[in-house]
Amino acid sequence: MVRQAVITSPLTERILVNALVGASFIALIIGLLAPMLTLKKLILITNTFSVSSGVLALFREGDYLLSFIIFGFSIVLPLVKIGLLFRVWNAAEHGSQSVRYFCWLTNIGRWSMLDVFVVAVLVASVKLGALASVEVHYGLYAFALSVVLVMLASGRVKHVMQTNEQNRKTGEHHGGHGGIF
């Protein structure tokens, strides 16, 4: 019982979620800029890519649609999701607008997983090639860590919002997120 009281205290909740959101932002920036994959073909050709360098390379090569899709799903969408999550959690007043933002956040969260799927398909398809190999770098792990941290923070915010909504309906109040959700 003591453990639950510590986890759900307003200050602990605020610090935990803000730490998760902040860490996910840092991991995302590292994941976008750091080398993610090195493709080796025929022993002589080696290309190392980060998400940002891959988007720029696709754009320079004239693959505008693909570069915009990857830019949108791998860079813009995760940044928007982290920003909205921070805004919803730290808003001075929480009401229908915060709930609406959180619902929108949940809906775009499903689409932000598309980039992880694209990277997984790329790795699998290249590893299947007899003349090519893939070396994974820390950028991929940082990017994946960002996705996991955002999922954990979103889950915690959702739990607090649902608990406070139930308390509001029954007329109870047990703290939660400072009583403002």
Side-chain angles (χ1 to χ4, degrees):
M1 187 76 169
V2 173
R3 181 178 171 183
Q4 185 175 0
V6 170
I7 291 174
T8 59
S9 73
L11 181 59
T12 304
E13 288 284 357
R14 185 170 293 280
I15 291 170
L16 174 65
V17 173
N18 282 326
L20 288 170
V21 172
S24 69
F25 177 75
I26 291 168
L28 177 64
I29 297 303
I30 292 169
L32 293 175
L33 299 176
M36 189 175 273
L37 299 170
T38 296
L39 304 173
K40 295 178 183 179
K41 297 179 258 180
L42 300 174
I43 303 173
L44 302 173
I45 302 170
T46 302
N47 295 323
T48 300
F49 295 99
S50 66
V51 173
S52 56
S53 69
V55 168
L56 289 173
L58 287 169
F59 189 81
R60 273 187 254 131
E61 292 173 10
D63 291 325
Y64 303 118
L65 181 62
L66 187 56
S67 69
F68 283 125
I69 288 171
I70 293 174
F71 177 76
F73 284 106
S74 298
I75 298 173
V76 174
L77 208 52
L79 288 171
V80 167
K81 186 171 184 178
I82 290 170
L84 276 176
L85 188 58
F86 183 79
R87 177 168 163 63
V88 165
W89 185 248
N90 290 294
E93 286 186 29
H94 297 278
S96 61
Q97 185 176 7
S98 289
V99 172
R100 189 170 50 248
Y101 280 154
F102 191 76
C103 288
W104 192 70
L105 183 69
T106 303
N107 288 331
I108 66 168
R110 293 182 189 108
W111 289 100
S112 68
M113 291 301 291
L114 181 64
D115 53 327
V116 176
F117 175 72
V118 168
V119 171
V121 168
L122 174 67
V123 170
S125 65
V126 173
K127 282 195 175 225
L128 293 175
L131 301 175
S133 66
V134 174
E135 183 180 336
V136 177
H137 298 290
Y138 69 96
L140 181 63
Y141 298 112
F143 192 84
L145 176 64
S146 175
V147 171
V148 170
L149 291 174
V150 166
M151 289 171 58
L152 290 172
S154 296
R156 197 70 206 145
V157 171
K158 182 178 180 180
H159 172 74
V160 169
M161 289 178 80
Q162 288 173 340
T163 301
N164 288 337
E165 182 60 28
Q166 288 172 344
N167 291 343
R168 216 178 292 136
K169 287 179 180 177
T170 62
E172 298 175 23
H173 178 66
H174 297 294
H177 181 49
I180 57 179
F181 258 116

